[in-house]
Amino acid sequence: MDKKLVVGNWKMNLLREEALELSGAIVSLLGEDYDACQVVLVPPYTVLDVVGRRISGSNIDLGAQNVFGRISGAFTGEISAPMLLDAGCNWVIIGHSERRHILGETDEQIREKLLLSISCGLKIILCVGETEVQREEAIRGSEDISARKELLFSPTKTQIENALHDLDEERISDIVIAYEPVWAIGTGKNATSSEIAEVHGYIRELLTEMFPGLGGSVKVLYGGSVKTGNIEKIMSVDEVGGVLVGGASLSADSFFRIIKSVGG
Ligand code: 13P
């Protein structure tokens, strides 16, 4: 997984015709052979099949926005990892902040989803990041730089540790971490290069501590108001292994320009 990764999370948007049009336009703009970076489209469940068929034959991968932590059974309204594989997905986003903060998903549920999805053969995009209140508390909380950093990194640390503790080291190669500060999602306020570098650097340190052999090679994405106007700056941060894009992935033109900035 050494290519940069560009993931388009469509969230709860687009009906069948619109999804077909957008995925078709992305394939046409990129060309079926494009592989300078790995592109993943993450549409809503209802159009996974349609989008999967439209991108088949290209190098674009398909992902889902969520999964349930059981294989099958009486869980009305839920979708399992084998169902996602059956629908053509090879990726799944787990622990997105909208699921944590709007839908009340817990670290325990996230871990359950992650372990089961990995064992079924899906690749995971695990989302982590602090809220605006947590960032402000960290900045106000201490004059001392290392104490401030400890406070700032603490939500991300807890989320990563709770999701990945005691995981078999070799499984870590199936996981990508997406640092998405909650205050930057859908707000137009993206983190600055130095804010991104600081947290990405910390995530790398933590992963290396938890998984001394392979932790250092885990890809860490940035997400939160990624646009055509800030992608160059974001990608200039050494630690950034790619981006998780929300709103700007709903336009073929802007998503294409973001992909080209990342992969060339
Ligand atoms: P925006 O790019 O719309 O801020 O969304 C980011 C995000 O949540 C991607 O998962």
Side-chain angles (χ1 to χ4, degrees):
M1 253 204 254
D2 38 25
K3 277 184 198 154
K4 302 262 195 245
L5 191 58
V6 180
V7 184
N9 175 9
W10 294 1
K11 307 195 179 182
M12 197 177 72
N13 294 292
L14 305 191
L15 303 180
R16 183 176 296 253
E17 281 306 314
E18 299 163 317
L20 254 180
E21 196 180 316
L22 178 57
S23 47
I26 294 165
V27 174
S28 309
L29 286 166
L30 279 180
E32 291 201 335
D33 296 338
Y34 183 82
D35 68 352
C37 62
Q38 179 63 58
V39 178
V40 187
L41 296 185
V42 188
Y45 292 136
T46 49
V47 294
L48 278 175
D49 193 48
V50 164
V51 172
R53 284 168 203 262
R54 187 62 194 84
I55 62 179
S56 101
S58 77
N59 289 316
I60 301 175
D61 278 353
L62 189 67
Q65 297 174 19
N66 185 32
V67 63
F68 192 60
R70 305 288 169 84
I71 290 281
S72 64
F75 302 105
T76 302
E78 295 297 339
I79 307 257
S80 70
M83 290 170 179
L84 295 182
L85 288 160
D86 192 41
C89 295
N90 53 343
W91 293 87
V92 62
I93 295 177
I94 293 181
H96 192 280
S97 74
E98 284 147 16
R99 298 214 56 85
R100 292 179 189 267
H101 299 292
I102 303 174
L103 283 309
E105 225 165 70
T106 64
D107 279 356
E108 290 67 34
Q109 290 169 320
I110 288 164
R111 178 173 170 83
E112 196 175 54
K113 290 172 185 215
L114 182 136
L115 294 181
L116 197 62
S117 297
I118 293 190
S119 73
C120 290
L122 284 163
K123 288 185 267 194
I124 314 294
I125 299 163
L126 173 67
C127 298
V128 299
E130 79 286 352
T131 64
E132 184 154 37
V133 171
Q134 288 168 328
R135 177 166 278 266
E136 278 171 3
E137 272 173 8
I139 290 165
R140 273 201 316 269
S142 180
E143 298 280 291
D144 176 63
I145 292 210
S146 64
R148 183 189 74 79
K149 286 194 174 181
E150 202 172 306
L151 270 176
L152 176 64
F153 301 149
S154 150
T156 296
K157 176 176 198 275
T158 307
Q159 288 165 351
I160 292 179
E161 284 179 345
N162 286 347
L164 303 184
H165 66 85
D166 301 327
L167 188 77
D168 256 358
E169 173 127 15
E170 67 212 42
R171 296 294 204 180
I172 197 75
S173 54
D174 295 325
I175 297 176
V176 167
I177 305 284
Y179 170 58
E180 294 207 301
V182 181
W183 49 272
I185 295 179
T187 58
K189 286 197 269 180
N190 69 291
T192 63
S193 307
S194 63
E195 285 167 341
I196 297 172
E198 184 179 40
V199 181
H200 275 230
Y202 171 72
I203 291 173
R204 172 98 34 235
E205 256 172 50
L206 177 62
L207 290 171
T208 310
E209 209 176 282
M210 291 175 76
F211 305 99
L214 299 174
S217 60
V218 173
K219 205 180 287 306
V220 185
L221 312 182
Y222 169 77
S225 296
V226 174
K227 309 272 180 238
T228 51
N230 58 25
I231 184 68
E232 302 278 347
K233 226 174 185 168
I234 292 167
M235 291 311 300
S236 71
V237 180
D238 272 354
E239 288 288 344
V240 174
V243 281
L244 177 51
V245 187
S249 71
L250 294 172
S251 143
D253 177 59
S254 62
F255 194 53
F256 171 69
R257 288 202 279 151
I258 289 170
I259 295 167
K260 292 297 275 184
S261 298
V262 173

